[in-house]
């Protein structure tokens, strides 16, 4: 056992350790601080090109993993090639399956503009080509050729009819074959008046003539088809010539992109098949019902879904709302007279499309919170392509007639951000997770407190001040922040990497400095910030301390009492944690129950606390069973405890109370104790040490320091001390003491002022020592139990003679 010095209870940092005076004299941060393990994992996961090596970045909130990963990716992405653009176009062969076209970066929007200009030029030039004299002349010549053929057929038909004694008379309803007698057409009444034989003869000749007329009509229809086809071929030839002039530059520009040339061939063929759209007139009006205001030229539009024209390097997409549609993409619909309609121009890209060829960063908790998003991401990564479809259709809720866009190949790295607990949850319960996210990059909460890391700390503060236009810090402020970093890490040799909290401290310190009109934030502003942040949240602590000072919560800081010790607990309120003393008492009597934990019996004790109490029985058996069988019935309790008790940091405190109760030696009440103990009596490390010491110091100071108050702490926790400056001052002035304890013997001697007692050669403990008194008391208890047992035996057998 030894007392701690002021230098041991807080690792100070001074601006004399720095080669600069202010943060504006150092270079801004250009790397991730204190996360070498995570950086190596990121570099590996981002460089390896095999499938499934996506990354899960695990780390507690506030470690700066989100900002650090985004900054790391943005720097890396600048060195990577810019990915291609993607467009959706009309599929002329299968209209319900739009085609996806890949173009070099920046060419997508250019392709869309070129197509728009091409269609505009076609709509302008094609009608003009049909208004030329040359076209009119060729059309007239073609018409005359077929008109001559029709005329010849009609002439031959009339000649044949005349020879057969008939005349063909055209009417609005068709051709009538009228018999002729003596050069005059025969009317119906006249025909009816003819002899029967004459009528029969005329009818037979008429039937033969009708067969010839039918053949002539077939030839006429064939001529009409040929005439129509000839006119259509003429129109296609004229329009084709115009298109060839318009497409020459276009074809040369996109000669290296087969998909574009193939699509453009389809565009030209469709234009030639739908010349009425470009010539105007009735033919174009028949393309859609008159009540639907549809643009018939919409099919020639280009839907640029991914445009990387403004992207430098690979894209880095960070999304905090990864819904299914945001992630996979969606097909929009519009209502037309109560019906939902869609086409390829309503296809919208998702995050996977935008990050394709680069990096997609998603918080895993948000991903899991959105229905179907995780399944959609898994499917895309597993199949290495993105299929845009409605979630309702994907999972079979209902099906409607819609389009099916061509899938787009996927080549990107997905980086999930989350707590370690979510990583292990997915690892063990999601079968696909291990195959899709093979790299784990874990962000720690601490790093070594070395000059190099302190310099990086300073660079971080410099970057923060410049980025947010804050006041820069002087050397004293940085020194105080370094100390605060060690306090957050709860280790004199470490610095916390909870950069979110450190950044908030810097922001508040700059606020106070600016409010005072200072040019730089100094140590006083950082100290005020830390104090104000604690003050804003410690109302409950002040209320508890007030109740202790007023005696409602009973804590003695003077005198000596048997079986009573001041233990120390930590209260966690989220934003802050603080220590509060807790009276622990022990009572003992002869019995067979052993050590009874009242907290456990009342269902207020946690499992770890129960384990700590059970260890006490092991210690007693290890230390005293050779003297006499343990015949002990002891009770341990946290006095005035109205909530659950968990943890084993009070196990040594409970053991001191037991030893005091067994030995009858009182314990100094101005001392408080924390530390866990094993069955061999060794004091073990605990957490929350600074809060516990400061909490007890506040109570002692409120009641009035006498100079004897102090706390017993595990020796192994020495490096965890980063106490407040006022506690350090009290230790330096000898008004408050901290004792480093390695075992129970050292602790009990400090608490009682009585030697613990080492075993004699015969195995007994010296009289008057703590262990000697305890051993003697346990012998008395064992003898008493034996006597009671023998008396009960005699009573059952009816023999009252004790010497029998």
């Amino acid at each position: 056992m030894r007392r701690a010095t002021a230098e041991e209870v807080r690792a100070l940092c001074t601006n004399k350790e720095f080669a600069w005076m202010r943060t504006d004299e150092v270079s801004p941060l250009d790397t991730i601080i204190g996360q070498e393990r995570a950086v190596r994992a990121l570099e590996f996961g981002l460089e390896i090109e095999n499938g499934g090596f996506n990354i899960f970045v695990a780390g507690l909130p506030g470690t700066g993993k989100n900002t650090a990963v985004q900054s790391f990716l943005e720097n890396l992405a600048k060195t990577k090639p810019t990915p291609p653009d993607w467009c959706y176009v009309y599929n002329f062969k299968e209209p319900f399956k739009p085609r996806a076209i890949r173009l070099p970066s920046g060419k997508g929007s250019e392709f869309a503009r070129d197509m728009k200009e091409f269609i505009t030029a076609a709509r302008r030039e094609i009608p003009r080509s049909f208004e030329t004299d040359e076209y009119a002349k060729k059309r007239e010549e073609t018409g005359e050729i077929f008109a001559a053929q029709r005329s010849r057929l009609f002439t031959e038909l009339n000649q044949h009819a005349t020879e057969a004694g008939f005349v063909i008379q055209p009417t609005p309803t068709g051709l009538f074959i009228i018999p002729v007698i003596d050069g005059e057409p025969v009317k119906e009444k006249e025909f009816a008046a003819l002899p029967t034989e004459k009528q029969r003869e005329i009818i037979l000749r008429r039937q033969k003539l009708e067969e010839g007329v039918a053949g002539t009509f077939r030839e006429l229809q064939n001529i009409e088809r040929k005439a129509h086809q000839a006119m259509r071929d003429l129109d296609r030839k004229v329009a084709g010539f115009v298109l060839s002039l318009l497409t020459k530059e276009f074809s040369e520009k996109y000669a290296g992109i087969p998909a574009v040339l193939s699509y453009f061939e389809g565009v030209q063929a469709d234009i030639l098949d739908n010349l009425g759209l470009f010539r105007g007139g009735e033919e174009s009006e028949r393309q859609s019902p008159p009540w639907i205001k549809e643009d018939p030229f919409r099919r020639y539009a280009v839907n640029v879904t991914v445009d990387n024209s403004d992207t430098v390097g690979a894209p880095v997409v960070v999304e905090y709302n990864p819904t299914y549609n945001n992630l996979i993409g969606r097909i929009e619909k519009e209502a037309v007279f109560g019906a939902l309609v869609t086409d390829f121009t309503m296809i919208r890209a998702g995050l996977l499309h935008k990050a394709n060829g680069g990096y997609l960063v998603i918080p895993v908790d948000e991903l899991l919170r959105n229905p179907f998003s995780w399944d959609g991401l898994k499917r895309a990564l597993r199949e290495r392509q993105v299929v845009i479809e409605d979630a309702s259709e994907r999972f079979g809720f209902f099906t409607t007639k819609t389009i099916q866009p061509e899938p787009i190949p996927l080549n990107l790295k997905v980086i999930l951000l989350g707590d370690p607990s979510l990583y292990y949850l997915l690892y063990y319960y999601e079968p696909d997770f291990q195959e899709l996210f093979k790299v784990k990059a874990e962000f720690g909460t601490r790093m070594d407190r070395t000059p190099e890391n302190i310099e990086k700390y300073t660079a971080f503060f410099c970057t923060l001040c410049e980025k947010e236009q804050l006041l820069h810090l002087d050397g004293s402020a940085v020194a105080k922040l370094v100390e605060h970093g060690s306090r957050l890490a709860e280790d004199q040799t470490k610095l916390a990497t909870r950069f979110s909290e450190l950044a908030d401290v810097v922001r508040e310190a700059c606020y106070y400095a600016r409010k005072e009109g200072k040019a730089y934030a100094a140590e006083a502003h950082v100290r005020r910030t830390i104090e104000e942040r604690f003050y804003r949240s410690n109302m409950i602590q002040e209320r508890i301390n007030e109740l202790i000072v007023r005696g409602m919560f009973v804590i003695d800081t003077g005198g000596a009492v048997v079986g009573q010790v001041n233990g120390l607990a930590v209260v966690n309120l989220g934003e802050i944690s603080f220590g509060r003393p807790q009276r622990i008492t022990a009572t003992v009597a002869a019995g067979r129950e052993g050590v009874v934990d009242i907290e456990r019996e009342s269902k207020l004790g946690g499992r770890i606390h129960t384990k700590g109490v059970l260890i006490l029985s092991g210690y007693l058996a290890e230390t005293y069973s050779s003297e006499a069988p343990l015949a002990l019935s002891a009770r341990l309790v946290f006095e005035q405890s109205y909530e659950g008790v968990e943890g084993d940091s009070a196990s040594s405190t409970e053991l001191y109370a037991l030893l005091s109760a067994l030995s009858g030696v009182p314990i100094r009440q101005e001392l408080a104790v924390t530390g866990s103990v094993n069955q061999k009596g060794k004091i073990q490390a605990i957490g929350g040490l600074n809060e516990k010491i400061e909490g007890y110091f506040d109570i002692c100071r409120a009641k009035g320091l006498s100079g004897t108050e102090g706390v017993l702490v595990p020796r192994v926790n020495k490096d965890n001390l980063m106490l407040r400056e006022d506690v350090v001052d009290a230790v330096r002035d000898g008004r408050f003491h901290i004792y480093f304890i390695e075992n129970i013997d050292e602790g009990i001697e400090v608490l009682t002022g009585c030697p613990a007692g080492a075993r004699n050669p015969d195995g007994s403990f010296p009289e008057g020592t703590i262990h000697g008194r305890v051993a003697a008391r346990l012998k008395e208890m064992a003898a008493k139990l034996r006597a009671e047992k023998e008396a009960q035996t005699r009573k059952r057998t009816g023999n009252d003679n004790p010497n029998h």
Side-chain angles (χ1 to χ4, degrees), residues 390-517:
D390 290 337
S392 57
E393 296 178 2
R394 167 74 178 87
F395 295 97
F397 295 149
F398 60 87
T399 303
T400 58
K401 186 176 181 181
T402 184
I403 58 177
Q404 299 176 6
E406 180 182 354
I408 291 179
L410 193 62
N411 178 27
L412 83 167
K413 291 289 184 178
V414 177
I415 298 93
L416 297 182
L417 306 174
D419 292 343
S421 59
L422 290 176
Y423 173 84
Y424 293 113
L425 185 68
L426 290 169
Y427 188 88
Y428 287 113
Y429 295 102
E430 173 52 67
D432 295 322
F433 180 77
Q434 298 179 37
E435 293 300 319
L436 297 177
F437 291 88
K438 298 181 179 180
V439 181
K440 178 186 178 185
E442 188 160 14
F443 273 63
T445 57
R446 306 190 305 174
M447 64 181 181
D448 292 336
R449 181 171 164 175
T450 62
E452 293 79 12
N453 283 338
I454 291 176
E455 185 174 348
K456 292 178 181 179
Y457 238 45
T458 308
F460 167 75
F461 299 140
C462 172
T463 303
L464 177 67
C465 294
E466 292 187 356
K467 183 178 180 181
E468 300 188 10
Q469 297 182 347
L470 304 173
L471 294 179
H472 276 276
L473 315 176
D474 67 13
S476 65
V478 173
K480 190 57 60 180
L481 285 167
V482 169
E483 294 178 12
H484 186 60
S486 292
R487 169 62 184 248
L488 293 176
E490 298 186 31
D491 196 321
Q492 297 179 2
T493 66
K494 302 292 182 181
L495 290 172
T497 56
R498 292 156 58 181
F499 294 107
S500 176
E501 185 170 345
L502 288 167
D504 286 340
V505 173
V506 173
R507 294 182 185 107
E508 291 187 38
C510 291
Y511 163 78
Y512 292 123
R514 189 171 274 132
K515 191 175 181 180
E516 295 177 6

Side-chain angles (χ1 to χ4, degrees), residues 180-479:
V180 176
I181 299 177
D182 298 332
E184 294 291 334
V186 179
K187 297 182 180 179
E188 290 186 9
K189 291 181 179 181
E190 294 174 350
F191 180 80
L194 292 174
T196 303
E197 290 297 328
K198 186 66 174 180
Q199 290 182 5
R200 187 178 296 112
E201 181 213 351
I202 293 174
I203 291 173
L204 290 174
R205 284 188 286 116
R206 182 176 182 174
Q207 289 177 347
K208 290 181 180 180
L209 181 60
E210 284 179 347
E211 292 177 0
V213 170
T216 301
F217 264 99
R218 284 193 293 270
E219 290 186 35
L220 283 172
Q221 290 175 352
N222 189 33
I223 290 173
E224 290 297 333
R225 283 195 297 269
K226 289 181 179 179
H228 180 75
Q229 185 63 42
M231 292 297 184
R232 184 171 179 178
D233 290 343
L234 175 62
D235 291 349
R236 290 173 66 91
K237 183 177 181 181
V238 172
F241 177 74
V242 174
L243 291 176
S244 66
L245 296 177
L246 295 176
T247 60
K248 183 177 181 181
E249 182 181 353
F250 189 96
S251 300
E252 292 176 354
K253 183 175 182 179
Y254 295 95
I257 310 176
V260 173
L261 297 181
S262 173
Y263 165 71
F264 202 62
E265 289 176 0
V267 170
Q268 295 181 73
D270 189 74
I271 291 176
L272 295 177
D273 290 338
N274 296 276
L275 283 176
L277 289 174
F278 293 84
R279 295 183 64 176
E282 295 181 0
E283 188 174 353
S284 65
E285 295 175 0
R286 292 197 299 269
Q287 297 299 315
S288 59
W291 59 84
I292 297 181
K293 303 298 183 181
E294 181 181 354
D295 181 5
F297 297 97
R298 194 168 180 174
R299 72 175 76 179
Y300 306 116
V302 175
N303 181 8
V304 183
T305 54
V306 178
D307 184 4
N308 287 313
S309 56
D310 296 329
T311 304
V312 178
V316 177
V317 179
V318 182
E319 179 59 41
Y320 293 96
N321 184 31
T323 63
Y324 179 84
N325 287 338
N326 285 352
L327 190 65
I328 305 299
R330 64 188 183 278
I331 302 173
E332 296 179 345
K333 297 178 176 64
E334 59 183 8
V336 177
F337 287 90
L340 293 177
V341 297
T342 187
D343 61 27
F344 73 97
T345 63
M346 299 184 190
I347 300 173
R348 300 293 178 261
L351 299 172
L352 290 172
H353 299 87
K354 297 175 182 177
N356 200 7
Y359 312 98
L360 176 59
V361 183
I362 308 175
V364 68
D365 54 340
E366 295 293 338
L367 181 67
L368 297 176
R369 190 175 291 121
N370 284 281
F372 313 125
S373 293
W374 172 246
D375 288 329
L377 178 63
K378 284 195 305 179
R379 181 188 180 193
L381 293 178
R382 190 168 53 242
E383 299 177 0
R384 297 191 182 184
Q385 64 179 12
V386 191
V387 180
I388 301 178
E389 58 184 345
D390 290 337
S392 57
E393 296 178 2
R394 167 74 178 87
F395 295 97
F397 295 149
F398 60 87
T399 303
T400 58
K401 186 176 181 181
T402 184
I403 58 177
Q404 299 176 6
E406 180 182 354
I408 291 179
L410 193 62
N411 178 27
L412 83 167
K413 291 289 184 178
V414 177
I415 298 93
L416 297 182
L417 306 174
D419 292 343
S421 59
L422 290 176
Y423 173 84
Y424 293 113
L425 185 68
L426 290 169
Y427 188 88
Y428 287 113
Y429 295 102
E430 173 52 67
D432 295 322
F433 180 77
Q434 298 179 37
E435 293 300 319
L436 297 177
F437 291 88
K438 298 181 179 180
V439 181
K440 178 186 178 185
E442 188 160 14
F443 273 63
T445 57
R446 306 190 305 174
M447 64 181 181
D448 292 336
R449 181 171 164 175
T450 62
E452 293 79 12
N453 283 338
I454 291 176
E455 185 174 348
K456 292 178 181 179
Y457 238 45
T458 308
F460 167 75
F461 299 140
C462 172
T463 303
L464 177 67
C465 294
E466 292 187 356
K467 183 178 180 181
E468 300 188 10
Q469 297 182 347
L470 304 173
L471 294 179
H472 276 276
L473 315 176
D474 67 13
S476 65
V478 173

